[in-house]
Amino acid sequence: MMPVTWPEVGSIHPFSPEEQTGGYRLMLKTLEKWLAEITQFAAVSLQPNAGSQGEYAGLLAIRRYHQERNDPERDVCLIPLSAHGTNPASAVMAGFRVVPIECDEEGNIDVEALQAKCEEHRQHLGALMVTYPSTHGVFEETILTVCEIIHSHGGQVYMDGANMNAQVGLCSPGGIGADVCHLNLHKTFCIPHGGGGPGVGPIGVASHLVEYLPGHAVLGDEEGTVSASPWGSASINVISWMYIRMMGAAGLVAATKVALLNANYIAHRLKNYFPVLYTGAKGRVAHECIIDLRPLQKESGITVEDVAKRLIDYGFHAPTMSWPVAGTLMIEPTESESKEELDRFCEAMVSIHGEIQKVINGDWDSENNALRRAPHTAEMVSSDEWNRPYSRELAAFPVSRLRDHKFWPAVGRIDNVHGDRNLVCTCEGMEAYLED
Ligand SMILES: Cc1ncc(COP(=O)(O)O)c(C=O)c1O
């Protein structure tokens, strides 16, 4: 992170002339080269500012490819139902018609349905957008077949590489047969994620698409520009540069393996408490696992949101809730969490499972309990008034570890949708502009 603050990196104007920015451009070029090597693509563009913008840039490249081959009618984009919401949004923005593909019961792309849609749209098939490993947290075993089917019907394969941290050094989008892929450097390559950015969503392309990568007037090419500056969020690329340089090839492979191991460790430790929704044929997940809270909700009335709020009392920000499947938690520990942290999380989840059992058994009131009323602030717990049917200790210190390190939430339960349903206009009316 430190070089981001160096003026040689952070104070360069994106349009500075070439002769003044030799080192800066070399850094960006080297990063492009490394990312091309990791993805096994012919070239990479750092221009897109986010994964979603990478999707847009990559799909535009595919559109232009079809158009220049006198195939402008190829405007159908197949997208599995498990896809991230940005996929259909980008496809529409890039001028495609979205056709959804069903998933089977194991959460994988239904290959027969895919084949049928390809036949149906044979003349118009432009692209497939496929996420690998899938958002269901599984390496879909049919991925090579899926790519072949698309190519044999004249389409191009767009791989959503937001889950690239499960591939780096073990397999690659280019090797699998994709034609374009975006990466989220703010996920896989260490740029801090969250808080709204900035991000970097570079795209890699196979050789036949290199000429359709985004251009920019500063680079002497105005076609296909997708962001205001030639290298998008240029300065923060130094974070990924440093990460790749310091990790080295062996380190990057180790990180991928640890990310896979960590997700499987959690899935294995929790599976007897919360069923893991999707696994591969060998019972393993990829770099994330979806645990299903719906059966427990049916029995206890405790929702996934109650569990998410209770996790705050245990010192955790909840994992992704109700996506890609409503009523579930998607846990993606990544390579960054230590075994101790994974254990702390699993213990919290097991303890919460025990609390849900108390509601099921009738030991706890179905509404007035520590789950429904979580999270508990310091103000609540230390107040002179406490008239709940459970103790203050249980509210704030459900496991002993919390005595050593306690995170106190600033607010208790809020009405999540109140703001959405009660809009308040903060701009002044026209009267404010009237002169006295
Ligand atoms: C599978 C998948 N695709 C695309 C995106 C979009 O990336 P971004 O948020 O950088 O636009 C995400 C983001 O979380 C994702 O998980």
Side-chain angles (χ1 to χ4, degrees):
M1 294 288 286
M2 287 170 74
V4 178
T5 62
W6 296 347
E8 296 91 330
V9 176
S11 299
I12 305 284
H13 190 280
F15 296 172
S16 304
E18 198 171 347
E19 65 273 17
Q20 294 175 17
T21 51
Y24 182 70
R25 287 177 191 231
L26 178 63
M27 183 267 288
L28 296 168
K29 272 228 141 357
T30 315
L31 181 61
E32 282 175 3
K33 192 176 123 254
W34 287 339
L35 294 177
E37 208 174 303
I38 288 168
T39 53
Q40 287 193 285
F41 277 130
V44 164
S45 164
L46 293 172
Q47 197 174 112
N49 279 306
S52 44
Q53 217 181 77
E55 293 168 21
Y56 174 64
L59 289 170
L60 279 186
I62 293 177
R63 278 293 278 158
R64 288 170 65 201
Y65 168 78
H66 287 314
Q67 278 160 355
E68 293 201 9
R69 283 165 49 102
N70 288 328
D71 263 347
E73 72 284 0
R74 290 199 170 273
D75 65 347
V76 163
C77 185
L78 305 179
I79 306 184
L81 286 174
S82 57
H84 194 260
T86 49
N87 286 190
S90 305
V92 170
M93 282 180 67
F96 282 97
R97 285 185 287 145
V98 172
V99 173
I101 302 291
E102 302 289 329
C103 290
D104 62 21
E105 281 186 2
E106 274 81 49
N108 298 316
I109 294 175
D110 184 332
V111 177
E112 270 179 33
L114 177 80
Q115 184 97 38
K117 290 281 182 215
C118 284
E119 292 299 333
E120 187 185 333
H121 298 284
R122 178 172 271 280
Q123 303 301 323
H124 295 107
L125 181 64
L128 164 80
M129 292 186 92
V130 60
T131 307
Y132 188 74
S134 75
T135 60
H136 287 159
V138 177
F139 285 103
E140 296 199 26
E141 291 186 9
T142 56
I143 189 73
L144 298 178
T145 315
V146 163
C147 294
E148 270 166 35
I149 294 174
I150 297 299
H151 287 140
S152 68
H153 289 82
Q156 293 279 291
V157 176
Y158 181 95
M159 186 170 282
D160 179 327
N163 295 339
M164 187 70 195
N165 63 328
Q167 287 196 47
V168 177
L170 299 181
C171 58
S172 70
I176 290 161
D179 302 288
V180 196
C181 172
H182 81 259
L183 306 176
N184 284 19
L185 297 194
H186 44 289
K187 286 189 179 175
T188 307
F189 294 95
C190 254
I191 293 176
H193 195 197
V200 185
I203 51 168
V205 292
S207 55
H208 60 286
L209 294 176
V210 173
E211 60 184 298
Y212 308 111
L213 280 173
H216 196 281
V218 170
L219 305 171
D221 171 15
E222 299 206 19
E223 276 205 67
T225 305
V226 295
S227 95
S229 81
W231 295 282
S233 316
S235 63
I236 55 170
N237 279 306
V238 76
I239 302 170
S240 300
W241 191 99
M242 293 290 289
Y243 173 68
I244 295 174
R245 187 74 185 83
M246 291 190 291
M247 293 289 277
L252 290 175
V253 174
T256 310
K257 290 182 178 173
V258 173
L260 297 170
L261 183 63
N262 281 356
N264 278 284
Y265 181 74
I266 288 186
H268 186 75
R269 278 206 60 184
L270 295 184
K271 70 173 193 259
N272 292 337
Y273 302 91
F274 305 94
V276 176
L277 194 56
Y278 299 120
T279 55
K282 293 182 183 148
R284 301 268 182 242
V285 296
H287 64 304
E288 62 195 16
C289 59
I290 300 177
I291 59 168
D292 197 353
L293 279 91
R294 292 170 299 185
L296 278 176
Q297 176 172 353
K298 250 195 196 149
E299 277 187 87
S300 65
I302 299 299
T303 65
V304 65
E305 186 185 341
D306 297 327
V307 172
K309 301 290 185 193
R310 184 64 171 148
L311 272 171
I312 303 174
D313 286 332
Y314 284 81
F316 289 97
H317 186 296
T320 304
M321 194 182 84
S322 286
W323 189 82
V325 182
T328 65
L329 285 178
M330 183 180 77
I331 309 166
E332 182 178 1
T334 79
E335 70 285 353
S336 334
E337 303 302 345
S338 63
K339 167 126 185 328
E340 193 191 7
E341 186 69 358
L342 299 182
D343 285 335
R344 204 168 71 80
F345 176 75
C346 291
E347 277 167 27
M349 289 302 294
V350 171
S351 174
I352 288 174
H353 179 269
E355 294 180 345
I356 298 174
Q357 290 306 318
K358 293 201 168 104
V359 177
I360 295 172
N361 298 341
D363 295 344
W364 282 13
D365 184 87
S366 62
E367 283 303 319
N368 199 0
N369 62 55
L371 289 152
R372 289 297 259 190
R373 304 198 66 183
H376 301 86
T377 64
E379 201 180 331
M380 285 175 192
V381 173
S382 58
S383 156
D384 286 343
E385 240 177 71
W386 180 263
N387 46 24
R388 302 190 182 187
Y390 53 95
S391 71
R392 290 176 154 103
E393 181 170 30
L394 182 104
F397 299 102
V399 286
S400 61
R401 272 182 200 253
L402 290 165
R403 298 230 170 254
D404 299 328
H405 187 80
K406 171 73 187 166
F407 167 80
W408 289 103
V411 286
R413 189 71 69 104
I414 56 164
D415 178 352
N416 290 338
V417 294
H418 182 87
D420 298 336
R421 292 191 179 147
N422 297 279
L423 296 182
V424 179
C425 184
T426 55
C427 47
E428 291 177 301
M430 277 309 292
E431 313 79 59
Y433 296 88
L434 284 176
E435 289 188 16
D436 288 340

